[in-house]
Amino acid sequence: MGDMVTLQITGDPAADQILSEDPFALLVGMMLDQQYPMEHAFRGPAKVAERFGSFDPAEIAAANPEEFAALCAQTPAIHRFPGSMAARLQELAALVLREYGGDASRLWTEASTGRDLLRRVQALPGFGQQKARIFVALLAKQLGVRPPGWEQVVGDYALEGYRSVADVVDGASLQKVRDHKKEMKAAAKAAKTAKTAKTEQP
C-alpha cells in the first residue's frame, strides 16, 4: 500500500506517511476527526507511534491504560479530549485484533458490498453513521476501495467537490474542505436560529 498511494491530509509528510502505509493509522485518524481540526486529528497516529514506539494494534490494546492515556495527553496532545480518545483508541485496537486478526485493512478488503463495508465501519467504537460514510468515501476516492454500491451508501460524499476529508489531496483542497465545513456550520446555526425565532412568536 505504501508505494501505491501517498495520502496528503495533514500538511506534515511524516504524519501523512504513517496514514499511507498503515491502515490502522488511517482508521485511527478518522476516529480522532471529531470536535477537532481535521489535519490535527489525522496527525494523532504519528504522535502516538513516536511516543509509544509502535502503532501495532496488539501492543496498543495491551498497553497500561493510565500510561497510554498520559502518553496521548502529552503536549501536543492527540485530541482536545485525550483521555477519552486514548481509551477509545485502545478499544478500537482490541476490536481490530479480535475481529480482523490485527490487520485493519481486512475491514475493507473483505467487504463484499458498499453496504457491508458501511456496516463494518459503523460497528467500530467512535464511528457514527456520518463518520462511517465519510470513511467509506475516503477509501473509495483515495485508495480505490470501491465495493459495489459504495456511492449509494455514502450519498453526497461520493460526489466531486470538497465536502470531507475524502476530498483532501493537498493543502489547497484541505482549505476548501475547511471552508465548506464552516459554511455548513453557519447554515445549520442560521436554520436553528430561524426555527427558535419562529417558535417564540406570540
Side-chain angles (χ1 to χ4, degrees):
M1 183 175 154
D3 306 332
M4 301 185 312
V5 182
T6 305
L7 298 166
Q8 292 190 9
I9 294 173
T10 67
D12 172 350
D16 281 335
Q17 190 179 350
I18 186 171
L19 297 176
S20 304
E21 291 176 357
D22 185 339
F24 182 59
L26 187 62
L27 202 55
V28 169
M30 188 76 226
M31 183 194 81
L32 294 171
D33 183 12
Q34 181 184 332
Q35 300 174 295
Y36 199 54
M38 185 169 44
E39 65 278 25
H40 292 296
F42 280 90
R43 282 177 200 161
K47 292 176 189 170
V48 173
E50 194 181 321
R51 296 168 195 175
F52 189 59
S54 159
F55 208 70
D56 178 2
E59 292 186 34
I60 289 174
N64 174 296
E66 284 80 20
E67 288 171 17
F68 190 72
L71 169 148
C72 291
Q74 272 175 35
T75 313
I78 66 161
H79 196 271
R80 273 173 64 192
F81 308 111
S84 59
M85 284 300 176
R88 193 175 281 174
L89 205 170
Q90 285 195 288
E91 197 187 328
L92 182 62
L95 186 146
V96 164
L97 207 58
R98 191 173 64 242
E99 303 282 331
Y100 300 105
D103 177 2
S105 71
R106 283 178 51 194
L107 182 75
W108 52 88
T109 56
E110 294 176 1
S112 52
T113 62
R115 192 169 294 285
D116 180 35
L117 177 55
L118 186 72
R119 183 186 55 74
R120 286 162 174 253
V121 178
Q122 272 189 270
L124 303 172
F127 282 76
Q129 190 178 8
Q130 186 187 13
K131 184 183 291 223
R133 286 167 65 202
I134 292 172
F135 190 68
V136 171
L138 172 65
L139 292 172
K141 289 182 170 183
Q142 304 221 26
L143 302 188
V145 175
R146 298 179 173 187
W150 75 270
E151 298 98 333
Q152 284 75 18
V153 299
V154 305
D156 282 357
Y157 294 116
L159 302 174
E160 290 291 312
Y162 301 98
R163 287 175 172 75
S164 73
V165 68
D167 303 306
V168 176
V169 291
D170 54 21
S173 49
L174 171 65
Q175 190 54 53
K176 286 178 181 168
V177 170
R178 266 211 211 105
D179 294 344
H180 175 77
K181 283 186 162 187
K182 263 191 200 133
E183 283 165 26
M184 297 300 282
K185 219 174 231 176
K189 202 173 176 182
K192 201 174 176 182
T193 309
K195 196 177 173 185
T196 311
K198 209 171 177 181
T199 51
E200 283 171 3
Q201 281 173 358

